[in-house]
Amino acid sequence: SQTIHQWPATLVQPVGSPLSLECTVEGTSNPNLYWYRQAAGRGLQLLFYSVGIGQISSEVPQNLSASRPQDRQFILSSKKLLLSDSGFYLCACQREFAYNEQFFGPGTRLTVL
Amino acid sequence: AQSVTQLGSHVSVSEGALVLLRCNYSSSVPPYLFWYVQYPNQGLQLLLKYTSAATLVKGINGFEAEFKKSETSFHLTKPSAHMSDAAEYFCAALRGTASKLTFGTGTRLQVTL
């Protein structure tokens, strides 16, 4: 069965510092991968998705970037964090054998001070 | 462009009462629709999905949803609320290629004694 690992689970960073959030997937191969952000009191916003190694699509202009160096690894980064980058970041993958479903990781809570 | 609207950011019901969480979608083509549940500081868990088969969809934990094309709705119901149902619920629609999801803003369900 599929498992998604995200780390760290929580992170407090100062404004202007860099960011690297990691997501790894087990139990499937060549999945579509997604990064979502959930800001306080708001729904989930799709930030990036990837259909394969090195293939990244951005949904909204922002201060963040994503990379997919390996088939089952998806990284969310920033060179300089803004206060508005605070939120709950969720990684998701397309569920194997159910291509219209997404399976979500446990999330990373990021607080930028 | 496709959108998902959830009426009511907060819903409170008594334990044992009917749960009704509303979701309307905007699309010229009936999409795949989903309900997810999120417990505090956790990822999202799929409750149920509509994929153009039966219009009444049964999910986990006693929840079900009915797809009504004429009303562009996909409301979530449960006959009898339990304290453990307290969580945030998100309606989502599949859109475009790469199985991207558009989420509603969520409804927080409170269950009281």
Side-chain angles (χ1 to χ4, degrees):
Chain A
S1 62
Q2 290 167 276
T3 305
I4 298 180
H5 300 281
Q6 287 189 246
W7 63 89
T10 60
L11 189 60
V12 180
Q13 292 283 95
V15 169
S17 64
L19 173 74
S20 181
L21 302 182
E22 189 161 345
C23 168
T24 57
V25 180
E26 295 178 358
T28 185
S29 59
N30 196 32
N32 284 3
L33 297 175
Y34 310 83
W35 276 112
Y36 291 88
R37 176 170 60 202
Q38 185 177 20
R42 302 177 66 179
L44 284 86
Q45 181 182 38
L46 178 62
L47 302 177
F48 301 94
Y49 68 94
S50 171
V51 299
I53 296 174
Q55 300 180 62
I56 307 296
S57 296
S58 174
E59 282 289 294
V60 293
Q62 58 206 313
N63 183 44
L64 302 168
S65 62
S67 61
R68 187 170 176 176
Q70 300 180 44
D71 181 45
R72 289 173 286 179
Q73 184 184 31
F74 203 23
I75 297 172
L76 185 69
S77 305
S78 174
K79 293 181 179 179
K80 289 185 178 181
L81 283 169
L82 306 172
L83 286 174
S84 58
D85 291 324
S86 293
F88 193 49
Y89 288 82
L90 289 160
C91 178
C93 76
Q94 195 176 45
R95 185 177 284 279
E96 194 170 35
F97 308 123
Y99 299 111
N100 54 28
E101 282 185 36
Q102 288 184 22
F103 179 74
F104 285 80
T108 294
R109 172 78 56 193
L110 172 65
T111 303
V112 182
L113 302 175
Chain B
Q2 196 169 108
S3 67
V4 177
T5 302
Q6 290 184 242
L7 292 176
S9 58
H10 289 83
V11 171
S12 182
V13 300
S14 301
E15 190 174 33
L18 171 72
V19 175
L20 170 61
L21 304 182
R22 299 177 186 274
C23 173
N24 288 87
Y25 68 91
S26 167
S27 173
S28 59
V29 177
Y32 286 177
L33 295 165
F34 305 83
W35 276 100
Y36 284 88
V37 61
Q38 184 182 33
Y39 298 100
N41 293 310
Q42 295 186 25
L44 275 70
Q45 180 182 9
L46 182 67
L47 278 177
L48 48 81
K49 66 177 181 180
Y50 167 76
T51 57
S52 73
T55 57
L56 182 62
V57 181
K58 293 187 183 299
I60 62 172
N61 301 340
F63 284 93
E64 62 182 37
E66 186 173 8
F67 174 75
K68 292 186 176 180
K69 184 178 178 180
S70 61
E71 298 177 6
T72 61
S73 69
F74 189 55
H75 301 332
L76 182 71
T77 60
K78 182 174 180 177
S80 176
H82 192 273
M83 295 297 290
S84 61
D85 294 326
E88 189 149 21
Y89 292 80
F90 292 93
C91 183
L94 201 70
R95 61 180 171 91
T97 58
S99 300
K100 294 177 286 186
L101 288 174
T102 297
F103 282 89
T105 51
T107 297
R108 184 167 298 279
L109 176 65
Q110 181 182 19
V111 182
T112 59
L113 289 172

